[in-house]
Amino acid sequence: MAAVVLAATRLLRGPGSWGGARLSGAALSNRFGAPACRQFSSGGAYPSIPLSSPLPGVPTPVFATVDGQEKFETKITTLDNGLRVASQNKFGQFCTVGILINSGSRYEAKYLSGIAHFLEKLAFSSTDRFGSKDEILLTLEKHGGICDCQTSRDTTMYAVSADSKGLDTVVGLLADVVLHPRLTDEELEMTRMAVQFELEDLNMRPDPEPLLTEMIHEAAYRGNTVGLHRFCPTENVAKIDREVLHSYLRNYYTPDRMVLAAVGVEHSLLVECARKYLLGTRPAWGSGKAVDVDRSVAQYTGGIVKLERDMSNVSLGPAPFPELTHIMIGLESCSFLEGDFIPFAVLNMMMGGGGSFSAGGPGKGMFTRLYLNVLNRHHWMYNATSYHHSYEDTGLLCIHASADPRQVREMVEIITKEFILMAGTVDEVELERAKTQLMSMLMMNLESRPVIFEDVGRQVLATCSRKLPQELCALIRNVKPEDIKRVASQMLRRKPAVAALGDLTDLPTYEHVQAALSSKDGRLPRTYRLFR
């Protein structure tokens, strides 16, 4: 073994190890057919050419280019029956396709309240072509698909995400679900049970935000449009039947109120499928012309809605949950079609806020006003969050706060002061931070295909066009401190809307809240009691 190692060592050293002359690099190259050292492009071959200049003799590179219009443009086609078809190109194997309809609780003034809630629960049930919900789900499974239906105050959305190769099947299925539902007695009874359960859950859950949102809309738009009940009232659950639903569908599920939107498909194929399944189709409720469509414009009224409730036993587990009183104060902003919509969105982001136990940090809202001025200074407040609800003819900017029932009055005064400060000095740094955060949230959300689908569908439904993300970002960058001050000052001239939930013993009167929002400092009028 030692002899083998010694022989290998001598071979590597070359013939010079036996006393002869060592071979030069050229000789080694000639003998073994390989260069003694390797030449690198960064070495002596091009010694005087800087890295910023192209190398001589190297072909000019041809880089891939993307036509901005081809990549980002939302293509829109209107069919002969008025239905709009909108698509957005996006690379990938899967697509999201759906039908959005101008239909929701705001259109139920002449009907039993709760129809949109019922239709949401009845979605993707049996149709003329599919005998049951299971058949629909099995059909979608063949294309790796999932389905969902959501209703809001002004829009109903049926959506499917599936493999792009199954586009024809998906559009046909959507058309059948929307236009040819059977609405059997068994399905209606199951829906009544589901709605009843959801109403009970709404009143029992520890998080009161959905219930407060319902209450603040009722207070702000009393008895009209977006102030109508989004959830079906308990007394109407047993009254809604097939005839009531067909009467509503006949007026609001018409082609001119619909958009077929898709992300991740070719526009020409989508239009072809739309013509095949949605053009000249007779719906299950007949083809009579819509004659009773509600075109009411939202009327902001302001006001207060109170719900006295024992909140001491809302904990879902063995650990007790602190008893809290929840207050939401709102003022009318503007619709999403107006130019001031962007300044209001920036203002809402600047207010921010959240729960007192948020795990957020820099960039997650901890530098917003409701954290810095409220939650960081008042340890007894459990929540202070800003919300902005916007519709095609109105809007509502709200602040939700929660605290111990004994500190309700102080909590309300803190919130009214924050509303007054909105129309005060706006720091350039906080404004830039709010604008950057808003643009960041916009762009991050639009990374998701279903979010792009909803954005395309809602914009085309409302305006027959779509503002691209870069256009929205440009509008956000153009917001100035004086814009924030102007829109806030306009908002403060309106009557407030107030929603209150829990122990309301120490709740200030509506007139006192209104006086505080009309004052210079946001303070509530002083009250004096002879006996406590």
Side-chain angles (χ1 to χ4, degrees), residues 172-464:
L173 185 148
L174 280 167
D176 216 41
V177 164
V178 173
L179 299 176
H180 304 107
R182 283 185 180 172
L183 305 179
T184 64
D185 292 338
E186 183 184 356
E187 288 169 349
L188 287 168
E189 193 56 42
M190 291 294 290
T191 300
R192 290 189 185 100
M193 292 172 61
V195 168
Q196 191 67 48
F197 174 81
E198 192 166 334
L199 293 175
E200 292 172 8
D201 177 66
L202 185 70
N203 291 314
M204 291 170 57
R205 61 195 304 174
D207 174 26
E209 195 269 325
L211 184 57
L212 278 170
T213 302
E214 183 83 356
M215 291 167 65
I216 196 73
H217 278 83
E218 185 182 347
Y221 305 93
R222 194 171 292 275
N224 74 91
T225 58
V226 294
L228 300 176
H229 292 287
R230 180 171 171 266
F231 298 100
C232 181
T234 306
E235 61 271 17
N236 287 351
V237 171
K239 298 177 183 176
I240 296 177
D241 56 18
R242 191 185 299 105
E243 279 188 32
V244 172
L245 294 173
H246 275 185
S247 172
Y248 178 86
L249 292 167
R250 189 175 296 111
N251 284 314
Y252 292 99
Y253 276 42
T254 55
D256 57 303
R257 301 177 66 87
M258 294 183 184
V259 169
L260 174 66
V263 175
V265 301
E266 290 292 332
H267 187 72
S268 57
L269 295 177
L270 184 66
V271 172
E272 185 181 328
C273 292
R275 288 198 173 104
K276 180 177 177 182
Y277 294 108
L278 292 164
L279 190 62
T281 304
R282 180 185 171 85
W285 45 88
S287 56
K289 194 173 182 181
V291 292
D292 203 16
V293 177
D294 185 358
R295 305 189 189 278
S296 303
V297 176
Q299 302 295 318
Y300 181 84
T301 61
I304 185 168
V305 172
K306 297 188 288 186
L307 183 57
E308 287 265 8
R309 177 176 293 174
D310 179 10
M311 303 291 285
S312 60
N313 58 353
V314 295
S315 176
L316 297 177
F321 199 82
E323 181 181 1
L324 300 174
T325 294
H326 302 272
I327 305 293
M328 189 176 277
I329 300 175
L331 292 165
E332 187 182 23
S333 57
C334 71
S335 84
F336 56 69
L337 299 176
E338 296 179 46
D340 284 340
F341 171 67
I342 298 295
F344 269 115
V346 175
L347 173 60
N348 178 59
M349 191 61 62
M350 195 167 73
M351 297 307 295
S356 58
F357 298 105
S358 171
K364 292 187 178 179
M366 297 294 276
F367 284 99
T368 57
R369 284 191 179 185
L370 292 179
Y371 265 113
L372 293 176
N373 300 346
V374 178
L375 294 170
N376 287 357
R377 296 183 184 181
H378 307 284
H379 65 89
W380 45 268
M381 285 191 67
Y382 280 77
N383 194 315
T385 310
S386 176
Y387 297 94
H388 187 215
H389 307 279
S390 198
Y391 306 96
E392 65 179 3
D393 51 4
T394 188
L396 193 64
L397 190 133
C398 318
I399 294 179
H400 165 215
S402 54
D404 187 278
R406 293 166 293 183
Q407 291 167 303
V408 169
R409 183 177 178 84
E410 190 177 352
M411 172 176 67
V412 171
E413 187 170 84
I414 289 167
I415 298 306
T416 55
K417 285 179 180 179
E418 286 303 311
F419 269 110
I420 296 298
L421 288 172
M422 289 181 190
T425 304
V426 179
D427 183 64
E428 286 280 0
V429 174
E430 71 169 343
L431 178 60
E432 287 303 315
R433 183 184 290 120
K435 286 156 64 173
T436 302
Q437 190 174 358
L438 182 59
M439 289 188 287
S440 173
M441 287 181 62
L442 173 69
M443 300 309 292
M444 286 169 62
N445 285 332
L446 289 174
E447 290 288 320
S448 167
R449 188 183 64 250
V451 175
I452 299 174
F453 155 76
E454 188 171 347
D455 181 53
V456 169
R458 286 184 181 275
Q459 286 202 49
V460 173
L461 190 64
T463 66
C464 297

Side-chain angles (χ1 to χ4, degrees), residues 70-129:
E70 182 181 340
K71 184 176 181 182
F72 294 113
E73 182 186 14
T74 301
K75 297 180 179 178
I76 303 169
T77 301
T78 303
L79 302 186
D80 295 339
N81 60 358
L83 183 137
R84 285 153 286 176
V85 182
S87 72
Q88 179 75 40
N89 195 12
K90 184 175 174 65
F91 298 106
Q93 181 182 353
F94 283 81
C95 64
T96 299
V97 187
I99 295 176
L100 291 92
I101 309 164
N102 250 335
S103 161
S105 59
R106 70 169 293 164
Y107 300 107
E108 294 175 359
K110 300 177 182 178
Y111 297 88
L112 285 172
S113 189
I115 290 176
H117 192 188
F118 255 71
L119 290 173
E120 179 185 58
K121 301 302 174 192
L122 283 164
F124 295 97
S125 295
S126 65
T127 69
D128 287 353
R129 284 175 51 207

Side-chain angles (χ1 to χ4, degrees), residues 55 59 86 129 148 247 532:
L55 297 174
R129 284 175 51 207
D148 187 28
S247 172
R532 286 189 175 275

Side-chain angles (χ1 to χ4, degrees), residues 464-480:
C464 297
S465 62
R466 183 188 179 220
K467 272 193 173 71
L468 299 178
Q470 55 266 37
E471 295 177 62
L472 295 172
C473 287
L475 293 171
I476 294 169
R477 289 191 195 96
N478 289 335
V479 175
K480 303 290 190 295

Side-chain angles (χ1 to χ4, degrees), residues 144-166:
I146 55 173
C147 61
D148 187 28
C149 177
Q150 295 179 7
T151 60
S152 63
R153 297 180 190 280
D154 56 358
T155 308
T156 301
M157 179 175 67
Y158 298 81
V160 170
S161 288
D163 193 305
S164 302
K165 295 176 182 176

